[in-house]
Amino acid sequence: MSIIAEVPGFIQVFSDGFVKRFAPEIASASQESAGGYKSKDVVIDPSKPVTGRIFLPDIPGSCSCTLLPVLVYFHGGSFCIGSTTWLGYHHFLGDLCVVSKSIVLSIDYRLAPEHRLPTAYDDCYSSLEWLCTQVTSEPWFKDADLSHVFLSGDSAGGNIVHQVAVKAMRNNALQVNIKGLLLIHPYFGSDERTDRERADGAAGYVAMNDMFWKLSIPDWSNSDYFGCNFEKQEVSEAEWKEFPAVVVYVAGLDFLKERGTMYAEFLQRKEVKKVKLVETEGESHVFHVFYPKSEATSLLQQQMSEFMKDN
């Protein structure tokens, strides 16, 4: 049995299909308030399984006269690794719920290569359906305002945000109003290389991205699969005009910065009503997960909060 794909310290894929993941430090949920919020784990679909973690900011008094927006978050990891239980995500999302005064629902979806795309898209979309069914029965959602729902995620999670938004836009029966999308360092690709991907010194990054896409997309597809290359997805002109407001966050030192910028420019060409591109200079890919208490992460949380308030 040999290793056919590997990122040291994160994942090994063996020739017989066995996958070994190396999880970093994880954080347990706690229903005791700490840092201005509390958290608990929930089961969204036990048959798959799909689970989640709710982050609830402290609300003074026994009840609140103001409903809180809901931010549904999808973690990154190139569709193959990652969890909302990772320590970096736990701290980032807990602090974000405090800064933005929102209820955060973070989703653990099924991972590739055991569950290739579009599984992650379907799992994450199902979390919105679950949210609709739970808002009247889950005590932690008693102050949730489903008329102000936001979708956010980093890296592969940013990619998922786009796909879930398209699917939600096409389902009039879904009882949530998605007001905005917040994509952090989104993970996209295509068969055609970009200037940065063709540049000297890029071969290692390109090879790793190619490996992850090969593990994630259907066996019959290539990097022009609609989930990889957003330009290949069939969305009508009328649908683009109904697309929610979008902010794309990119990092100056991120190899994927070019892809994120291309996504924002693509939406602008499609005349999406509101598209904003925000760059964090001097930072790398998903810095907010590796350094959740940094000044750059704090600024990102403030920027996200302002976008939510404005939309």
Side-chain angles (χ1 to χ4, degrees), residues 12-310:
Q12 292 176 331
V13 181
F14 293 84
S15 56
D16 67 349
F18 178 73
V19 179
K20 184 176 182 180
R21 294 181 175 86
F22 303 86
E25 186 176 359
I26 64 173
S28 299
S30 175
Q31 297 189 38
E32 297 295 324
S33 179
Y37 66 92
K38 55 186 178 180
S39 59
K40 78 171 180 177
D41 293 331
V42 293
V43 177
I44 292 171
D45 188 336
S47 69
K48 294 180 179 178
V50 180
T51 60
R53 179 167 291 183
I54 304 173
F55 297 86
L56 185 68
D58 292 344
I59 302 172
S62 59
C63 63
S64 173
C65 60
T66 304
L67 294 178
L68 302 177
V70 177
L71 183 139
V72 183
Y73 196 90
F74 312 122
H75 68 75
S78 303
F79 302 105
C80 296
I81 58 175
S83 170
T84 189
T85 64
W86 284 12
L87 185 66
Y89 281 116
H90 182 85
H91 285 311
F92 172 72
L93 295 173
D95 292 342
L96 177 61
C97 88
V98 175
V99 173
S100 62
K101 295 181 175 59
S102 66
I103 299 170
V104 175
L105 172 62
S106 183
I107 309 303
D108 265 345
Y109 49 90
R110 288 174 291 173
L111 300 174
E114 302 96 321
H115 304 283
R116 293 175 177 267
L117 296 176
T119 297
Y121 303 147
D122 296 338
D123 287 354
C124 290
Y125 178 79
S126 73
S127 69
L128 295 184
E129 297 176 317
W130 178 86
L131 176 62
C132 293
T133 67
Q134 295 294 310
V135 72
T136 57
S137 58
E138 168 55 59
W140 283 34
F141 290 148
K142 69 180 180 64
D143 294 315
D145 183 359
L146 295 194
S147 70
H148 284 78
V149 173
F150 296 86
L151 305 182
S152 184
D154 61 89
S155 195
N159 177 304
I160 293 171
V161 165
H162 172 80
Q163 295 298 334
V164 172
V166 171
K167 191 169 184 177
M169 178 178 61
R170 291 170 172 170
N171 184 1
N172 294 328
L174 190 67
Q175 297 176 333
V176 299
N177 186 2
I178 298 174
K179 302 292 287 186
L181 314 179
L182 303 90
L183 290 78
I184 306 172
H185 316 159
Y187 181 53
F188 294 111
S190 65
D191 266 2
E192 182 178 355
R193 302 299 189 196
T194 65
D195 290 342
R196 191 165 190 175
E197 291 164 352
R198 288 191 293 262
D200 291 341
Y205 293 104
V206 171
M208 184 172 67
N209 283 339
D210 285 351
M211 180 200 73
F212 273 125
W213 280 119
K214 187 176 180 180
L215 293 173
S216 302
I217 59 180
D219 289 326
W220 50 263
S221 63
N222 58 28
S223 296
D224 277 336
Y225 175 69
F226 78 92
C228 181
N229 185 350
F230 50 80
E231 294 195 27
K232 299 299 182 180
Q233 189 166 23
E234 294 184 6
V235 180
S236 70
E237 181 178 336
E239 287 176 322
W240 282 125
K241 294 186 184 304
E242 295 300 317
F243 212 61
V246 180
V247 59
V248 182
Y249 301 99
V250 297
L253 303 181
D254 185 6
F255 185 72
L256 294 179
K257 171 189 170 183
E258 188 178 30
R259 291 285 183 183
T261 302
M262 290 168 62
Y263 174 72
E265 292 173 346
F266 174 77
L267 295 187
Q268 289 171 337
R269 291 197 301 273
K270 294 298 182 179
E271 298 183 357
V272 171
K273 56 189 171 186
K274 184 174 183 180
V275 182
K276 186 176 182 181
L277 180 68
V278 178
E279 179 177 347
T280 305
E281 296 181 355
E283 296 292 342
S284 300
H285 190 62
V286 296
F287 64 85
H288 61 293
V289 181
F290 292 106
Y291 308 103
K293 299 294 184 179
S294 69
E295 289 185 11
T297 297
S298 179
L299 176 59
L300 174 62
Q301 290 162 336
Q302 290 288 347
Q303 291 169 333
M304 295 175 72
S305 176
E306 290 170 5
F307 177 84
M308 293 170 69
K309 288 183 175 65
D310 290 343

